[in-house]
Amino acid sequence: ERRGLCDRNPALGLAKSGRDERMPTILTPKEAQNLLEVAQARAPEIVPYFAVGLFAGLRPLNELARLDWRNVDFKAKTILVDPATAKRRRSRYVKMSANLIAWLTPYRRTSGTVFYSRRLFRRVIEKAGFATWTPDAMRHSFASYHLAAHGDANATALQLGHAGAPGVLFDHYRA
């Protein structure tokens, strides 16, 4: 418009985005504890799935549900997210916290997929008292608590596998 290439700015006719910022669904520490305790009591084979989801923040459907024990390195305290399961097909190493190691150690295996069953997952969620479940609740919880504990958005974004600036973290994960 300033250069005389059009009569008026065509963007002026666009409607503003109706998308308001909403806080992500995260679990309170008590809810996370209850979830793990219910899993331990009712379906112990799925405890590693919940522990990795809560304390490493892997994406639930591709990274976590397809995680192989060979990629869990207790000595280096890392989890390798394989490119075949990563969202952007890039590998990354996720640091394992002491609490994650403590939860995983009794279930430790040398190979094979970390157990996941939709039926057992739903059973644990229901028994833990969740009427509804947000698919990324564990990942959102990890991101929010990691950012709060470390105060480093770049480190949290790196753990989550976010490319570039931590904008995605602020848009979708922090609570």
Side-chain angles (χ1 to χ4, degrees):
E1 183 179 23
R2 277 179 287 173
R3 293 171 52 197
L5 300 175
C6 62
D7 294 332
R8 66 180 198 85
N9 183 347
L12 292 176
L14 295 175
K16 290 189 178 194
S17 172
R19 185 174 166 206
D20 292 330
E21 180 177 331
R22 291 182 302 165
M23 295 300 284
T25 301
I26 68 167
L27 305 180
T28 66
K30 187 71 177 158
E31 288 171 329
Q33 177 184 356
N34 183 48
L35 184 63
L36 286 166
E37 288 173 352
V38 169
Q40 199 171 34
R42 302 210 176 237
E45 61 272 30
I46 202 168
V47 167
Y49 178 89
F50 283 109
V52 173
L54 289 167
F55 302 128
L58 272 60
R59 291 177 176 94
L61 297 179
N62 49 352
E63 296 173 350
L64 183 50
R66 295 168 50 197
L67 177 62
D68 193 291
W69 281 104
R70 286 184 295 251
N71 294 340
V72 179
D73 187 338
F74 285 86
K75 190 173 184 178
K77 299 179 182 177
T78 60
I79 295 173
L80 168 63
V81 177
D82 193 281
T85 63
K87 182 178 181 179
R88 297 198 183 271
R89 301 295 181 232
R90 291 185 210 137
S91 65
R92 75 176 187 280
Y93 286 92
V94 175
K95 292 179 185 176
M96 291 172 51
S97 60
N99 56 347
L100 176 56
I101 293 169
W103 274 100
L104 290 182
T105 298
Y107 304 95
R108 184 178 183 170
R109 293 181 42 206
T110 56
S111 65
T113 305
V114 171
F115 181 82
Y116 173 74
S117 157
R118 185 177 296 157
R119 182 181 57 80
L120 285 181
F121 177 85
R122 286 186 179 147
R123 181 187 305 163
V124 170
I125 295 299
E126 288 171 12
K127 294 291 183 189
F130 294 97
T132 60
W133 181 259
T134 302
D136 281 323
M138 294 188 297
R139 183 170 167 81
H140 291 173
S141 299
F142 168 81
S144 295
Y145 291 120
H146 188 277
L147 181 59
H150 300 283
D152 185 343
N154 288 320
T156 301
L158 184 64
Q159 286 283 106
L160 294 169
H162 292 163
V168 173
L169 175 70
F170 288 111
D171 288 346
H172 301 287
Y173 292 93
R174 67 174 162 71

